[in-house]
Amino acid sequence: MKKILVLTDLSDNAAHAAKTAMNLAAKLNCEVLLYHAMTSIPIVPNYAGGAFVTETVSIFAEESNEKLKLLADELQAGSTMGVQITIKNGEGGLGENVKELIRDNDIELIVMGAPAGGVWDHLLTGSETRAVIRNTDRPVLFIPAERDTKSLLRLVLATDYNETDLCALRYLSKWVADYHCLLDIVHIQVGDDAALWRPEQKQVFEIYLTGLNYAGICCHDLRGNDPLSRLNRFCEDKKVDVLAMVNYHNDFFSKLLGTSQTFKALHHLQLPILVFPANFCDETICPM
């Protein structure tokens, strides 16, 4: 059965994200896998206290398991949806561990909690966060610490009509079909991208949407000198629940958000962000 992978550092913010994952799991008919990566303990070669180090690792693993069990119990107690939860921990960085977890499990989606500083700070500066995005081909949902996520029914896909964006659109259209979300596709242009955009790219999207014939999906073009500020206003006016985008390459977030007051404007919204990795393919998750 498909699973939603919840990466948790066992903080309150991560527990908040896990509650969101439970709601999504019920709607998507998935199980939840809670995973905690323990901090690696460096071992000096020929260290005489090797047995002590091994014992310490074991203690950390037991403590991690106990906390994961408590979190799982709390999630089950607070839910009437009957979602099955499994727990797992491991040692080392999240990036490589995520690759292994995807290989061994049928992962639909990855969920992470963002620290109190905000989702955008987390995306731009969090080394573990960027490592997860680089090492997965699954969408990653980042949940702000102070955001009420009981309802995730109003979605926005920010796009430049890239081919990978069409994969993201096909994936999100299944959310629209399965639990009646509203999806706005918003075309934004950053810097010199306007000169590179071709109308036929948009036509591919329009043909796909015509075939769907879903009333809950609409397209918009945001143009002007500051399209990202307009995206901010659009999300605010529409009371958007989730902003989705594709990470085309390693510097995408810096390129998109690293200018003027736009970062501060989007930061203020504190929206959950759904990131599709550059190598995302919806057919990997949802075979046609």
Side-chain angles (χ1 to χ4, degrees), residues 46-63:
N46 301 321
Y47 174 55
F52 172 77
V53 172
T54 302
E55 182 180 345
T56 303
V57 172
S58 178
I59 291 173
F60 283 178
E62 289 178 11
E63 182 180 1

Side-chain angles (χ1 to χ4, degrees), residues 4 12 15 27 37 55 62 76 103 113 122 142 148 153 177 246 257:
I4 293 179
D12 290 342
K27 293 174 180 176
E55 182 180 345
E62 289 178 11
Q76 292 283 23
R103 186 189 66 222
H122 196 45
F142 297 93
D148 181 359
L153 297 177
V246 176
L257 303 166

Side-chain angles (χ1 to χ4, degrees), residues 5 11 21 28 30 65 67 71 74 86 100 132 145 152 203 233 264 282 288:
L5 172 61
S11 65
L28 298 174
C30 292
N65 264 327
K67 290 182 177 180
L71 176 57
E74 290 174 6
T86 55
E100 181 179 336
V132 169
L152 297 179
Q203 291 174 4
R233 292 196 299 272
K264 293 181 180 178
D282 60 304
M288 297 298 183

